Amino acid sequence: MEKQLTAFERLLTIMDELREQCPWDRKQTFLSLRKLTIEETYELADELLKEDLEGIKEEVGDLLLHMVFYAKIASEQGAWDIADALNSVCDKLVERHPHIYGDVVAEDEEAVKQNWEKIKLAAGKGKKTVLSGVPTALPAMVKAMRMQEKTAQFGFDWDNVDQVWEKVNEEIQEFREADNERDQEAEFGDLLFSLINYARWKGIDPETALERTNLKFRNRFEYVEQAAGPGGLSEMALADMELLWQQAKKTDA
């Protein structure tokens, strides 16, 4: 523990020095850092997908720096400091784990999640509905998954996975029958939402699944591009591209 506390104290000291002495760091505000924090979050997400432990370590450090930065700005405004933020999350964890710090019984993961959502909703703090805690800025696929997870904690869910798959097929048919652009868009959204729900039932993270497919597509297409020869892709027939694509599939890890 002493090693961790020493390292954290070092970060706090460096943050104080940078805020006082560095022109760039002095200039930063909550809003100016926001886009950088989002970028760092996605960089961490990339490393998590690759399961690169060294990369994860670096990106976790970068995000910790941002959290300390926000706390420093808040302390300068006399609002709160890093200790307040840490104590706040500690209090929240104790409150939302009554099966550990109280006398509530939670025998499995689902019971823990249900308790968490009920305590969170009862606490209020401006969040008066089940879904109000889902950030509007989340990517649409992640947001759909979180909304489904939250409502399921209150019993708003299908009885079994077969019913969920039936809903997917129903949405496919409705999409195929849509006869104008507006309806097609609406039905396609419903289809995606139902597929995300099916993924949830199957224990699949749809965001991760799609990103792995994105990476697979990128790797295969870059293989085709590199093997295209002097004339490049513009001089290749589709059949030749498909031949290279099939070769690229054999190189998948």
Side-chain angles (χ1 to χ4, degrees):
M1 181 67 74
E2 182 178 351
K3 176 183 176 183
Q4 289 91 331
L5 293 175
T6 299
F8 194 62
E9 182 180 15
R10 182 185 178 203
L11 176 58
L12 294 175
T13 299
I14 291 174
M15 184 74 260
D16 289 343
E17 293 170 347
L18 294 178
R19 190 67 173 168
E20 180 180 344
Q21 301 175 36
C22 175
W24 186 88
D25 287 278
R26 284 201 306 267
K27 186 179 179 181
Q28 300 313 304
T29 65
F30 287 131
L31 288 180
S32 70
L33 289 171
R34 179 180 179 273
K35 61 182 180 296
L36 300 178
T37 304
I38 293 172
E39 181 180 332
E40 293 293 351
T41 302
Y42 277 103
E43 289 180 2
L44 173 60
D46 285 345
E47 298 302 331
L48 291 170
L49 197 61
K50 294 185 288 187
E51 299 186 42
D52 182 341
L53 292 179
E54 282 300 309
I56 294 171
K57 177 186 73 175
E58 180 177 350
E59 299 305 334
V60 165
D62 289 345
L63 274 177
L64 280 171
L65 169 61
H66 279 242
M67 301 308 104
V68 168
F69 213 146
Y70 289 125
K72 177 63 177 177
I73 295 172
S75 68
E76 292 170 351
Q77 297 178 7
W80 48 269
D81 62 15
I82 191 66
D84 296 320
L86 292 173
N87 283 322
S88 176
V89 73
C90 287
D91 291 343
K92 184 188 300 182
L93 288 171
V94 171
E95 177 188 21
R96 296 185 185 177
H97 288 80
H99 54 292
I100 302 297
Y101 302 104
D103 55 6
V104 172
V105 176
E107 297 181 350
D108 54 30
E109 178 188 359
E110 285 305 311
V112 172
K113 289 164 66 177
Q114 289 177 8
N115 284 337
W116 179 283
E117 292 298 339
K118 291 175 182 177
I119 294 170
K120 185 176 180 180
L121 187 62
K125 298 182 181 178
K127 298 176 180 178
K128 301 300 183 182
T129 70
V130 172
L131 296 179
S132 60
V134 180
T136 57
L138 280 177
M141 184 174 292
V142 178
K143 189 189 302 182
M145 183 75 162
R146 291 296 294 133
M147 290 194 299
Q148 292 168 2
E149 289 174 338
K150 282 182 174 292
T151 55
Q153 298 306 314
F154 291 84
F156 191 75
D157 206 356
W158 299 94
D159 293 327
N160 57 68
V161 70
D162 291 334
Q163 293 176 336
V164 184
W165 186 244
E166 287 176 11
K167 183 62 177 176
V168 171
N169 285 317
E170 176 186 321
E171 296 296 350
I172 291 174
Q173 187 61 33
E174 290 180 1
F175 172 66
R176 294 181 65 181
E177 293 173 357
D179 59 3
N180 62 70
E181 186 174 337
R182 181 177 178 179
D183 288 346
Q184 287 172 350
E185 180 187 84
E187 296 301 340
F188 189 71
D190 291 348
L191 173 56
L192 285 177
F193 195 85
S194 64
L195 281 169
I196 291 168
N197 201 24
Y198 185 72
R200 177 177 66 86
W201 270 82
K202 299 296 287 185
I204 298 169
D205 180 348
E207 176 72 18
T208 299
L210 180 58
E211 184 57 19
R212 289 193 189 280
T213 295
N214 288 339
L215 291 172
K216 183 167 56 179
F217 182 88
R218 176 192 291 270
N219 290 336
R220 290 178 183 176
F221 190 80
E222 288 179 348
Y223 177 95
V224 173
E225 191 173 20
Q226 292 167 5
L233 295 173
S234 60
E235 296 186 9
M236 287 190 70
L238 179 58
D240 294 329
M241 291 186 196
E242 175 63 23
L243 181 62
L244 290 174
W245 180 270
Q246 294 302 322
Q247 294 176 7
K249 288 174 66 174
K250 298 176 182 179
T251 68
D252 289 343

